[in-house]
């Protein structure tokens, strides 16, 4: 998430004299891009940002017909190394589309199992199976959504989890009851649980079962009830990444929605005065992210992004989650379940594999719909 650095690699940034200002701007953009909710009009009251905008020459944001599209990718990494490395799957794929003319914001979640015929693979495999070149994933997302990608943000789940702990956890509201009896425990992948591995494996295969689930100590039970919930980094990752749950939040749609809830919660903490005015905390966050995030945002574009954010004021983004679950209103049922000899389960458009015209029409429809009602809920605003 599962969810920024201001240059292709933060570690290569040469502007050492503006480290603190750079860090603050880094966190602001992380909140802007990660959350997709622009209730931060008060953010420019912070002196560091005001000073920075006065001493730089802002660069206009890239756009097409007044629309800026940002691709957000969360990679599945489980160690303490940089998230930008070979062998990582982009398990969170989300496009944030900002229309500066109509003042609309659209979030489109793309399922990891969506099959892309032009690449002959699932969309979450394109990044690491094509030389860790984000341009390939951008091309696939454009093929699906019809949206040209202007910016990308790639971040590892480990760095995101550590950031949550640094800011003191996140607060969310669980919308529905949810349980997962098969959440994998990191480090227990090969645990025997006191059982005979050969016998259990043989019996499971004979019954057409996955042998892994015979070893119950490898898994933990997650249970959530509706209502407010405080999560630390590890708990937030569990909530966002769980894939075997029951109930409405256990579907592909539910997983994407859970990721959005965590992102919204992190945005609130990142953009709070308790974080932005705490220099030691900012430095700790900066050190956490500087080698774990890849983006093509440039520092000179940040002031323009802040101005655009102010103009959007507080809006409720239109949220689309592409899935095969027909019970979902926006994006539900637009995909169907399929099978591939190499990848097994795949999701494909209901009008035919590789035919993404219906998805693109739905996106255009949502972006041209009547004005979105402002979100007046406390969770959509940032208090200073």
């Amino acid at each position: 998430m599962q969810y920024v650095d201001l240059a292709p690699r933060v570690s290569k940034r040469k502007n050492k004299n503006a480290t603190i200002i750079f860090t603050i701007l880094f966190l602001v953009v992380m909140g802007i891009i990660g959350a997709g909710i622009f209730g931060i009009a008060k953010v420019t009251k912070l002196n560091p940002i005001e000073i920075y905008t006065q001493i730089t020459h802002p660069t206009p944001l890239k756009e097409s017909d007044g629309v800026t599209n940002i691709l957000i990718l969360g990679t599945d990494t489980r160690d303490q190394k940089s998230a930008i490395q070979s062998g990582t799957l982009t398990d969170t794929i989300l496009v944030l589309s900002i229309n500066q003319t109509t003042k609309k914001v659209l979030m489109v979640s793309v399922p990891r199992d969506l099959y892309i015929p032009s690449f002959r693979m699932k969309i979450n495999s394109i990044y690491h199976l094509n030389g860790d070149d984000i341009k390939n994933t951008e091309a696939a997302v454009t093929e699906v959504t019809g949206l040209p990608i202007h910016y990308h943000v790639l971040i590892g789940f480990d760095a995101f989890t550590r950031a949550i702990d640094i800011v003191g956890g996140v607060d969310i509201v669980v919308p529905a009851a949810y349980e997962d009896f098969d959440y994998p425990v990191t480090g227990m992948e090969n645990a025997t649980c006191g059982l005979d591995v050969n016998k259990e494996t043989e019996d499971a295969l004979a019954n057409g079962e996955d042998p892994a689930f015979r070893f119950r100590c490898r898994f933990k039970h997650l249970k959530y009830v509706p209502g407010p919930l405080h999560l630390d980094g590890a708990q937030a990752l569990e909530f966002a990444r769980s894939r075997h749950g029951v109930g409405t939040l256990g579907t592909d749609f539910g997983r994407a929605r859970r990721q959005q809830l965590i992102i919204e919660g992190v945005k609130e903490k990142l953009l709070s005065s308790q974080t932005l005015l705490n220099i030691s905390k900012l430095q700790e966050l900066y050190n956490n992210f500087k080698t774990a995030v890849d983006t093509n945002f440039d520092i000179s574009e940040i002031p323009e992004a802040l101005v655009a954010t102010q103009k959007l004021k507080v809006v409720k983004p239109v949220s689309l989650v592409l899935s095969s679950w027909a019970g979902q209103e926006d994006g539900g049922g637009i995909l169907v379940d399929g099978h591939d000899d190499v990848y097994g389960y795949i999701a494909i458009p209901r009008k035919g594999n590789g035919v993404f015209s219906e998805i693109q029409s739905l996106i255009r429809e949502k972006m041209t719909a009547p004005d979105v009602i402002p979100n007046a809920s406390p969770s959509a605003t940032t208090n200073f």
Side-chain angles (χ1 to χ4, degrees):
M1 289 178 339
Q2 297 250 127
Y3 202 187
V4 242
D5 153 52
L6 308 179
R9 300 284 171 140
V10 176
S11 57
K12 295 182 180 179
R13 177 56 54 197
K14 298 180 180 180
N15 189 0
K16 298 180 181 179
N17 295 327
T19 300
I20 298 302
I21 296 174
F22 172 83
T23 302
I24 292 174
L25 291 170
F26 167 88
L27 293 170
V28 171
V29 174
M30 181 65 189
I32 293 172
I33 295 174
I37 294 181
F38 291 82
I40 60 171
K42 296 181 182 179
V43 75
T44 50
K45 290 184 179 180
L46 293 176
N47 289 333
I49 294 177
E50 290 180 336
I51 294 173
Y52 184 78
T53 57
Q54 292 175 10
I55 65 176
T56 59
H57 301 284
T59 300
L61 294 177
K62 301 180 182 71
E63 49 86 15
S64 297
D65 297 324
V67 178
T68 297
N69 301 310
I70 305 165
L71 174 62
I72 303 167
L73 301 173
T75 59
D76 185 6
T77 53
R78 300 301 181 88
D79 58 20
Q80 300 298 314
K81 300 177 182 178
S82 169
I84 310 163
Q85 56 183 303
S86 299
T88 56
L89 298 175
T90 52
D91 280 351
T92 295
I93 305 171
L94 186 148
V95 180
L96 181 63
S97 186
I98 308 163
N99 191 318
Q100 303 292 349
T101 302
T102 64
K103 305 297 187 294
K104 293 183 183 297
V105 179
L106 176 67
M107 289 193 294
V108 182
S109 292
V110 181
R112 50 174 275 164
D113 294 315
L114 182 63
Y115 189 78
I116 309 298
S118 59
F119 284 87
R120 299 181 180 179
M121 64 185 67
K122 291 184 179 182
I123 195 167
N124 73 327
S125 301
I126 292 176
Y127 172 66
H128 81 268
L129 291 182
N130 286 274
D132 290 356
D133 187 350
I134 293 180
K135 290 296 182 183
N136 291 299
T137 302
E138 290 181 354
V141 170
T142 296
E143 182 180 344
V144 173
T145 64
L147 300 172
I149 301 302
H150 303 102
Y151 299 98
H152 68 259
V153 179
L154 174 71
I155 181 171
F157 291 154
D158 284 342
F160 197 72
T161 300
R162 291 193 292 273
I164 291 175
D165 286 331
I166 292 172
V167 299
V170 295
D171 297 293
I172 65 171
V173 177
V174 181
Y178 176 70
E179 284 190 82
D180 183 350
F181 293 89
D182 300 312
Y183 188 85
V185 179
T186 302
M188 297 290 286
E189 293 82 2
N190 298 312
T192 64
C193 309
L195 302 175
D196 185 321
V197 176
N198 292 330
K199 180 179 183 302
E200 294 297 331
T201 300
E202 183 179 337
D203 289 346
L205 292 175
N207 291 309
E209 304 171 4
D210 185 339
F213 292 108
R214 289 291 185 99
F215 305 92
R216 297 310 305 169
C217 69
R218 299 179 184 180
F219 305 92
K220 65 184 300 185
H221 175 206
L222 304 179
K223 182 177 182 179
Y224 306 96
V225 296
L229 181 65
H230 179 81
L231 302 169
D232 62 21
Q235 292 168 337
L237 185 63
E238 291 174 350
F239 184 76
R241 299 202 68 248
S242 170
R243 301 188 66 232
H244 302 286
V246 295
T248 57
L249 287 181
T251 64
D252 286 340
F253 161 75
R255 184 170 184 262
R257 182 59 190 134
R258 283 184 274 117
Q259 292 174 352
Q260 292 176 2
L261 289 172
I262 294 298
I263 290 173
E264 292 170 12
V266 171
K267 183 270 298 183
E268 294 296 326
K269 283 299 186 73
L270 286 177
L271 297 180
S272 69
S273 57
Q274 289 80 8
T275 297
L276 290 179
L277 300 181
N278 187 323
I279 299 302
S280 61
K281 187 173 292 188
L282 291 176
Q283 191 62 54
E284 191 175 358
L285 285 166
Y286 173 73
N287 291 335
N288 175 52
F289 281 120
K290 66 181 180 180
T291 59
V293 177
D294 183 16
T295 184
N296 59 343
F297 261 97
D298 187 85
I299 194 169
S300 65
E301 295 170 312
I302 302 309
E304 195 71 22
L306 292 174
V307 171
T309 298
Q310 275 193 306
K311 291 180 179 179
L312 287 171
K313 298 182 180 179
V314 181
V315 299
K316 182 178 181 180
V318 176
S319 179
L320 291 180
V321 179
L322 308 180
S323 78
S324 59
W325 185 49
Q328 173 201 338
E329 181 177 350
D330 289 329
I334 204 166
L335 302 177
V336 294
D337 299 334
H339 178 81
D340 178 77
D341 291 339
V342 174
Y343 291 94
Y345 170 77
I346 59 174
I348 60 176
R350 62 185 173 189
K351 288 196 172 181
N353 194 5
V355 180
F356 301 110
S357 57
E358 187 178 17
I359 293 174
Q360 296 174 11
S361 294
L362 177 61
I363 291 174
R364 288 194 299 269
E365 174 188 330
K366 292 299 180 180
M367 286 302 289
T368 57
D371 291 342
V372 178
I373 299 174
N375 186 355
S377 65
S379 62
T381 59
T382 300
N383 297 319
F384 288 91

